Amino acid sequence: MAPPNDPANALLTKLAPNRPGKHIGLSNGKLCVKGFPVLSDVPSNVSFTPFSLSKSSDAPLPVIQAVQANSHKGGFLGFKAQEPSDRLMNSLGRFSGRDFVSIFRFKTWWSTQWVGNSGSDLQMETQWVLLDVPETTSYVMIIPIIESSFRSALHPGTDDHVMICAESGSTRLKASSFDAIAYVHVSDNPYNIMKEACSALRVHLNTFRLLEEKQVPSLVDKFGWCTWDAFYLTVEPAGVWQGVKDFVDGGISPRFLIIDDGWQSINRDDENPNEDSKNLVLGGEQMTARLHRLDESEKFRKYKGGSLLAPNAPSFDIKRPKMLINKAIELEHANKARDKAIRSGVTDLFEFDSKINNLKKELEEMFGGEESGNSVNEGCGRCSCKADNYGMKAFTRDLRTRFKGLDDIWVWHALCGAWGGVRPGTTHLNSKIIPCNLSPGLDGTMDDLAVVKIVEGGIGLVHPSQADDFYDSMYSYLAQAGITGVKVDVIHTLEYVSEEYGGRVELGKAYYKGLSNSLKKNFKGTGLISSMQQCNDFFFLGTRQISMGRVGDDFWFQDPNGDPNGVYWLQGVHMIHCSYNSLWMGQFIQPDWDMFQSDHCCAKFHAGSRAICGGPVYVSDSVGGHDFDLLKQLVYPDGTIPRCQHFALPTRDCLFRNPLFDKKTILKIWNFNKYGGVIGAFNCQGSGWDMKERRIKGYAECYKPVSGTVHVTDIEWDQNAEAAHLGEAEEYIVYLSQADKIHLVTPKSEAIKITLQPSSFELFNFVPIKKVGPDIKFAPVGITDMFNNGGTIREWAHSESGPEIRVKVEVKGGGNFLAYSTGSPKKCYLNGAEVAFEWMPDGKLILNVPWIEEAGGISNVAFLF
C-alpha cells in the first residue's frame, strides 16, 4: 500500500477507475446539480472546474481514497475581474425560493446560524451555505475558501444574487483572476456533505488536518474550572486555590484548571515599561495593554512555595472578588455617564469627575488592603526569580500536591501575546505597533467593545519571522513551570494587521506554524483550546495541529446591552451557536461548548446541553457560588464525565429552521453513547440576530412555550460506524430524564409529542432492546441521577447456561440504576454480593448503586433470570 504522503496523482492508478458521472455543471448561465439549476444568471466571468486529484497531499490514504470516490460530487468556482485589486466582489449567480442554512460572522471572532430562501437573505461574511434541493432529494454546499494569498466569504447581493468577496488583507497584494475561490459539493445526506466537502478541501488545500487525523486534549472527557467569571482580571494564587478547594470540599474534584486572563505581565504604553498595570478588574480595561514580559505577573511571581500548604495558611476572603468587581462596575458606569453627558452638550463636568476620582480612590484602597494582607506573596516579585520555590512553578506544584486529581493546569493568552500584543522594546522579540485596519466585510457585524479597544491601541505585533521564537519562549517557560496547556484567544486580530506582512493568509500561515510547532514541542501536541477563532482563515490555515476549539460565543450571564431579560434569552442563543457551528467546525476540531455558571438562573438549561455535547464540561463559578446538586448530575465525584461518543449536531428537521425566533421550532440535537443514542430538545426561542440593528437582541413575543415531536429516527445512526447497528433495532426503550418516564417505541411508532416551557429542555435516551432469552427482553438505561444516563453504561452482555439467563452490566456512577426488562429477575448481584432490586410491571428494573472510590466508581451488576 502506498504511504500516506504519496502524491495524489500517483494514487490514481490504485483507485477504482469507474466513477459516476459528474453531478455538477455550469452552462448557459446556470449552475446545475443533477440537471436542476441551483444558481441562475451566473455571470459569464464565472468558471466551474470539476474536482480532481491533481495536487500532492499528505492526507492519509483512506481520506484520499474517500475524496476520490466522491470527486464527481464537487468542483470549484472561480472568476475573472477586469482590474486587479486586493478586494474583489463578484456575483456567483442567484437563487430564490430555496431553503438554506448558513453560518456567518456576527463579530470578528464569532459565527452563528442563519436561514433564508434567497441569495439576498444571506448575511455578510457568510462562511458557508447549505441549500436544500428537494427536486433531486439532495443538498448543495457552497464554501468560500482560500486561493493563493486570498481568502473569501459570501455576501448578500441585490435581486437574489450570491456575492463572493475575495480579499488579501493588503493593498500591496492584488489579483484579478481566481480558478478555485469557492468549492461546491452535492450529497443526499446533509451530514455526509460536511465531511465529504471538508475532506475534499483537506486534500486540495493541504494546509490543515481533519479532526479524525488528530489527537484531542485529554481534558475532553473531564470536568474543570475556569477562573474568568470568578475574578476577571483580579485573579491571584490564593483565590485560585480557594476556588479549587471549594469544588473538592463539595464532592467534585476538578481534573483541569484554566487560569484565565489576568495572570500575565501587561502594561499600557503610557506606563512604566517594567511594571505591571495596577488595579485592573473588568474585561475591557486590559484590551489596550501589551505584554512586557513573557512570564507571569508580579502577583503570581511573588508566590512563595508552600504558603498555602502550611497549617496556618492565610484564609481567602471570598467576598473580596465580588466587592472589587462591583466597585469597578460602579466606576465604569460613572465613566459612561460622563461620556453621555459630553455627547449631550454638558460642559460642567465637575460632579462627574469628582465622583470618578472618589471611586478610583476607593478601588485603590481595596486593592491596597489586599496586597498588604496577603502573606502568600512573599517572593522577590519584581526580579525574575528562577528559584523553584517561587512563582508559577511553585504554585502549580503546590496545587498538585494538595489536589491530587488535578491533571491539567492551563493558562490563557491572546494569539498576539496580550490583547494589545507585545510592547516594543520590553522583550528580546522584534515587535512593532501596527494600526488596525478592518475589512469592509466586517461593516455588517455587531458593535464590539473588544474591537473598539484593539483599534484604539493597535497591536504590538511580533514580526512573523519570529513566530516560532515567540511561542516557544512563552511555552517552554510555562511547561517547565508546570503548565500543561493554553487557551489561545483573540485569534482573528491577525486580519487587522496584515498590510505589511503579505496579507492575512501569509501572516496567518507564519503565526499558526509557530504556534503549532511550539504546541508539539511543549504541550504534547494537544494542549490547546482555540477561541475567538470562528472564521474560515483559521480553520483552513490554523488546524493542522490544533484539535479543539470553541464553537460558541462567550457564555453571557446577562445582556451587556442592558436588556434585563437577556439573562434568559442569551442562553438559547449560545446553544444555537454551538450546535450549528459544530456542523462544520467539528470536521476540523473537537467542539468545545464553553463554560457556564452552575448557580445561574438558567444553569440547568446549560447543563442539559453540556451533558450531551460530546466535549469537556467546565464552569466559571465564583468562589463559593456553586450548585453542587446540579453539577453532580453532570460530573462524577472523580472529576470525569459520562461523555457522548460524537459531537452534538442539530437534527435534520431543525437544519433549515430558526429555533430562535420563529415561534415554533424546538432545537433538537443528537449524539451517541456506546449502547444507545440521545436527543436533547431545548426551547431556545426568544432572541436572535437583527440584521438592521446589527446585533443579537431579545424577541419577547417568541419567549413562549413551544411544542414539537421526537422520534428515534431523528438520531443519525449512520454518522458513527460503531453506532450504525444500534439504528437497526426493532424496539427501543426511551427514558425521559426530566420527566423520569420511559416509553417503548419502534422505528414505526408515532413520534413522542412534547411541549417545552421557555428556557427548558428534555433529554431522550434511546436504548435498543435485545432479546436475551426465550421470554426476556432487556435494555440497560443507566444511572438516572446523571443527565447523560446512557453514558454511564460501559459494557453489557448476556449469556445462557441451560435454563438460566445471566445479564451483566458494567456501570460507572452512584445512584439509581435503571434498566428495562420484560420480566423480573430471580436474583441480582452487585459487585458479587446479592442485593435487593425493584421490578415494575411496566418493565422498570431499579436498584441503588454506590460510588466506590477504590473501584473508580465502576460497579458490576448481574441479573439472573
Side-chain angles (χ1 to χ4, degrees):
M1 182 175 289
N5 61 349
D6 253 12
N9 53 13
L11 290 171
L12 294 181
T13 58
K14 300 178 176 67
L15 302 174
N18 296 322
R19 287 172 285 146
K22 301 295 183 183
H23 281 8
I24 307 174
L26 175 61
S27 63
N28 301 318
K30 294 181 179 179
L31 183 73
C32 294
V33 171
K34 299 179 182 179
F36 286 85
V38 174
L39 296 177
S40 59
D41 295 337
V42 179
S44 59
N45 70 332
V46 173
S47 61
F48 176 79
T49 306
F51 183 92
S52 65
L53 282 172
S54 58
K55 295 182 177 181
S56 176
S57 173
D58 63 2
L61 181 58
V63 172
I64 294 178
Q65 290 174 324
V67 168
Q68 174 67 10
N70 291 310
S71 61
H72 60 289
K73 298 181 180 181
F76 298 97
L77 293 171
F79 69 90
K80 289 180 170 60
Q82 292 183 348
E83 298 291 336
S85 176
D86 61 296
R87 187 171 190 272
L88 303 99
M89 188 81 76
N90 202 90
S91 171
L92 296 178
R94 59 187 297 272
F95 75 90
S96 61
R98 187 175 297 287
D99 289 342
F100 74 77
V101 60
S102 65
I103 293 292
F104 76 99
R105 280 205 288 173
F106 68 95
K107 291 185 180 180
T108 296
W109 349 90
W110 305 122
S111 296
T112 195
Q113 176 249 32
W114 188 252
V115 295
N117 58 27
S118 77
S120 295
D121 287 341
L122 290 168
Q123 297 299 296
M124 297 177 73
E125 277 295 311
T126 290
Q127 308 293 287
W128 55 263
V129 61
L130 180 68
L131 304 170
D132 188 11
V133 189
E135 303 96 319
T136 61
T137 60
S138 60
Y139 304 88
V140 173
M141 192 172 192
I142 304 174
I143 309 176
I145 61 172
I146 286 171
E147 182 174 352
S148 185
S149 295
F150 281 70
R151 62 77 66 171
S152 61
L154 300 178
H155 291 250
T158 57
D159 299 324
D160 302 328
H161 275 264
V162 180
M163 308 299 293
I164 189 163
C165 175
E167 57 187 340
S168 69
S170 173
T171 57
R172 306 174 188 184
L173 187 63
K174 300 180 179 182
S176 61
S177 177
F178 302 94
D179 297 318
I181 197 64
Y183 180 68
V184 186
H185 197 87
V186 60
S187 177
D188 60 1
N189 184 301
Y191 304 98
N192 289 349
I193 200 170
M194 298 288 174
K195 182 177 179 63
E196 292 172 5
C198 290
S199 295
L201 293 175
R202 159 67 174 101
V203 172
H204 170 72
L205 293 173
N206 204 38
T207 54
F208 66 91
R209 291 192 298 162
L210 299 167
L211 175 60
E212 66 188 65
E213 300 178 63
K214 297 175 285 194
Q215 287 187 324
V216 298
S218 60
L219 55 73
V220 70
D221 56 0
K222 299 174 182 177
F223 169 74
W225 178 52
C226 176
T227 63
W228 178 242
D229 287 312
F231 306 104
Y232 297 135
L233 302 174
T234 70
V235 62
E236 46 84 25
V240 174
W241 185 280
Q242 183 64 46
V244 178
K245 183 177 182 295
D246 271 1
F247 287 105
V248 174
D249 291 347
I252 296 177
S253 297
R255 300 296 287 269
F256 67 91
L257 164 69
I258 300 176
I259 302 175
D260 212 294
D261 198 358
W263 70 273
Q264 293 176 296
S265 298
I266 62 172
N267 57 37
R268 301 186 184 95
D269 293 343
D270 60 350
E271 295 177 324
N272 186 324
N274 300 313
E275 293 184 359
D276 295 339
S277 292
K278 304 297 183 185
N279 303 345
L280 298 180
V281 180
L282 302 178
E285 297 176 13
Q286 84 287 31
M287 290 177 180
T288 56
R290 317 186 200 282
L291 286 185
H292 67 93
R293 303 168 56 123
L294 302 182
D295 58 359
E296 67 269 34
S297 64
E298 183 177 355
K299 56 189 174 181
F300 280 88
R301 244 179 2 257
K302 290 172 63 177
Y303 177 79
K304 182 180 179 181
S307 301
L308 292 167
L309 290 171
N312 59 344
S315 61
F316 178 76
D317 183 357
I318 64 173
K319 297 179 181 179
R320 181 172 291 278
K322 287 188 176 180
M323 290 172 60
L324 289 168
I325 290 168
N326 290 336
K327 184 60 66 176
I329 290 173
E330 194 177 351
L331 176 58
E332 181 181 65
H333 288 169
N335 278 307
K336 287 182 178 179
R338 183 182 189 278
D339 293 341
K340 183 177 180 180
I342 293 173
R343 290 194 300 271
S344 301
V346 175
T347 56
D348 184 0
L349 302 174
F350 176 79
E351 290 187 9
F352 294 98
D353 291 337
S354 178
K355 183 177 182 179
I356 290 170
N357 289 331
N358 287 335
L359 289 171
K360 284 182 177 180
K361 289 179 181 178
E362 292 172 12
L363 188 60
E364 288 172 5
E365 290 172 359
M366 293 170 67
F367 270 107
E370 178 184 34
E371 292 174 359
S372 61
N374 193 347
S375 61
V376 303
N377 290 338
E378 299 175 348
C380 50
R382 298 189 183 186
C383 72
S384 184
C385 182
K386 299 301 181 183
D388 288 348
N389 205 38
Y390 289 94
M392 187 68 82
K393 185 173 185 176
F395 181 54
T396 61
R397 184 181 63 238
D398 286 358
L399 279 169
R400 290 189 172 94
T401 299
R402 171 65 177 82
F403 307 108
K404 302 297 185 183
L406 192 59
D407 299 324
D408 287 288
I409 303 173
W410 290 23
V411 294
W412 175 102
H413 76 84
L415 181 71
C416 293
W419 288 84
V422 177
R423 187 168 176 177
T426 59
T427 71
H428 71 284
L429 299 165
N430 175 21
S431 64
K432 177 182 176 182
I433 298 177
I434 307 295
C436 294
N437 181 31
L438 274 61
S439 165
L442 295 173
D443 290 346
T445 58
M446 189 171 173
D447 289 340
D448 186 352
L449 172 65
V451 175
V452 172
K453 289 292 186 180
I454 291 170
V455 170
E456 175 187 324
I459 301 292
L461 188 72
V462 173
H463 195 278
S465 65
Q466 287 188 306
D468 278 85
D469 185 8
F470 173 37
Y471 291 115
D472 195 54
S473 294
M474 281 199 297
Y475 290 2
S476 62
Y477 173 78
L478 290 171
Q480 66 84 27
I483 300 300
T484 55
V486 287
K487 173 185 173 183
V488 182
D489 220 344
V490 208
I491 284 178
H492 261 280
T493 46
L494 284 184
E495 68 179 88
Y496 296 170
V497 291
S498 58
E499 171 69 21
E500 300 178 25
Y501 301 100
R504 59 195 290 175
V505 171
E506 298 308 315
L507 181 59
K509 285 180 179 178
Y511 262 70
Y512 297 137
K513 179 176 179 290
L515 185 68
S516 296
N517 288 342
S518 191
L519 174 61
K520 287 187 286 187
K521 179 179 176 181
N522 297 290
F523 299 136
K524 299 181 180 179
T526 61
L528 190 150
I529 294 175
S530 55
S531 181
M532 297 177 73
Q533 86 297 8
Q534 294 170 9
C535 180
N536 54 8
D537 302 46
F538 170 78
F539 290 97
F540 293 142
L541 300 174
T543 57
R544 192 159 190 85
Q545 188 66 36
I546 295 171
S547 59
M548 180 179 283
R550 289 269 303 280
V551 289
D553 188 1
D554 292 333
F555 160 75
W556 290 96
F557 62 89
Q558 63 185 13
D559 179 22
N561 294 313
D563 184 344
N565 292 319
V567 68
Y568 301 105
W569 57 252
L570 270 167
Q571 316 319 317
V573 172
H574 187 93
M575 293 180 194
I576 299 301
H577 295 334
C578 293
S579 54
Y580 286 85
N581 274 329
S582 292
L583 286 164
W584 69 300
M585 295 180 189
Q587 306 303 323
F588 303 83
I589 56 172
Q590 167 65 47
D592 167 20
W593 281 48
D594 195 23
M595 55 204 175
F596 69 102
Q597 293 173 326
S598 71
D599 65 346
H600 188 270
C601 59
C602 291
K604 191 173 184 180
F605 193 49
H606 275 282
S609 68
R610 300 308 192 280
I612 64 169
C613 72
V617 173
Y618 57 116
V619 294
S620 57
D621 289 358
S622 299
V623 178
H626 316 288
D627 184 340
F628 285 112
D629 289 338
L630 177 69
L631 290 174
K632 289 175 182 178
Q633 297 178 70
L634 276 172
V635 185
Y636 294 128
D638 66 358
T640 62
I641 59 174
R643 184 171 72 97
C644 286
Q645 297 192 326
H646 198 262
F647 46 88
L649 294 174
T651 58
R652 198 175 291 220
D653 57 350
C654 289
L655 286 179
F656 299 95
R657 301 288 185 88
N658 179 358
L660 281 175
F661 57 99
D662 70 359
K663 301 181 182 180
K664 60 184 180 182
T665 301
I666 291 174
L667 170 68
K668 295 186 296 181
I669 56 178
W670 56 267
N671 211 331
F672 308 112
N673 289 308
K674 188 173 183 178
Y675 293 104
V678 60
I679 290 176
F682 300 85
N683 182 352
C684 299
Q685 294 281 333
S687 63
W689 178 250
D690 186 307
M691 67 180 76
K692 294 181 180 179
E693 296 185 26
R694 295 189 298 109
R695 68 184 182 98
I696 291 172
K697 70 175 189 178
Y699 290 91
E701 68 276 14
C702 301
Y703 196 70
K704 308 289 183 183
V706 182
S707 298
T709 61
V710 172
H711 197 272
V712 65
T713 55
D714 289 336
I715 301 171
E716 301 287 334
W717 300 100
D718 65 345
Q719 292 303 301
N720 186 329
E722 296 178 354
H725 71 283
L726 301 175
E728 299 171 358
E730 295 180 358
E731 292 179 296
Y732 298 83
I733 195 70
V734 54
Y735 176 69
L736 283 64
S737 70
Q738 299 306 290
D740 190 25
K741 293 180 179 179
I742 61 171
H743 292 276
L744 184 67
V745 300
T746 74
K748 297 181 180 180
S749 296
E750 290 187 6
I752 301 170
K753 296 179 181 179
I754 55 170
T755 297
L756 295 175
Q757 296 300 312
S759 302
S760 69
F761 71 100
E762 182 60 89
L763 299 179
F764 300 78
N765 177 19
F766 289 88
V767 187
I769 298 172
K770 283 187 178 181
K771 189 173 184 179
V772 298
D775 302 311
I776 300 296
K777 295 179 181 179
F778 186 89
V781 174
I783 303 292
T784 57
D785 300 69
M786 306 295 285
F787 283 123
N788 185 26
N789 34 80
T792 66
I793 305 296
R794 295 169 61 89
E795 301 287 345
W796 89 274
H798 70 280
S799 61
E800 294 185 55
S801 179
E804 183 180 84
I805 300 167
R806 179 181 292 265
V807 175
K808 294 182 178 180
V809 181
E810 183 182 285
V811 62
K812 181 170 182 176
N816 288 318
F817 171 83
L818 173 67
Y820 171 80
S821 177
T822 54
S824 175
K826 296 177 181 178
K827 293 182 179 180
C828 174
Y829 293 90
L830 176 64
N831 298 320
E834 186 173 352
V835 294
F837 63 88
E838 182 179 8
W839 180 82
M840 302 177 187
D842 64 356
K844 280 186 176 180
L845 177 58
I846 303 171
L847 74 147
N848 186 264
V849 176
W851 174 269
I852 303 174
E853 187 67 31
E854 298 75 17
I858 296 173
S859 294
N860 291 290
V861 180
F863 298 103
L864 271 60
F865 295 91

